[in-house]
Amino acid sequence: MRNNYSLYAIRYPLIVCLLLTTGCGRGLSKLEETPSFNLSDKGSEYIVNYAKYGKFENIGSSKYKYTITDQAGLSKAVGEGIHPNASSVLKDPEYKTFKKKNKLQGSHWDFIN
């Protein structure tokens, strides 16, 4: 039993070292890059408190449901392009410029990463 514990105790630090040295953490630096465009409506809350704008029902069951009770408040909190504020991106000046210059042609998959 003691040998198994020793194996587990060393396994996880080795895995972490391997991941860090092979560059698996490199994707995190992309969060610090300058975005290619700026949102005109970033939202009023960095982390949205959804309970403030709606009602959760049957949490933890297959009948789970979230009902929005304050759509205007939730739209303001989440910012542009996120439900229920998905259409606000159409009013964004930078979106209009990109669209006018045909920079949004193609599949949505063409714009990932």
Side-chain angles (χ1 to χ4, degrees), residues 3-55:
N3 288 338
N4 286 340
Y5 176 76
S6 297
L7 179 63
Y8 285 109
I10 192 99
R11 178 184 293 168
Y12 294 109
L14 286 175
I15 290 171
V16 169
C17 289
L18 178 66
L19 290 174
L20 291 174
T21 57
T22 58
C24 290
R26 276 186 268 162
L28 298 176
S29 64
K30 288 189 175 190
L31 296 174
E32 298 170 6
E33 290 180 7
T34 305
S36 17
F37 60 92
N38 294 308
L39 298 175
S40 64
D41 177 11
K42 295 180 182 179
S44 62
E45 295 182 28
Y46 184 71
I47 298 176
V48 178
N49 178 3
Y50 282 87
K52 187 174 165 184
Y53 306 104
K55 182 179 172 187

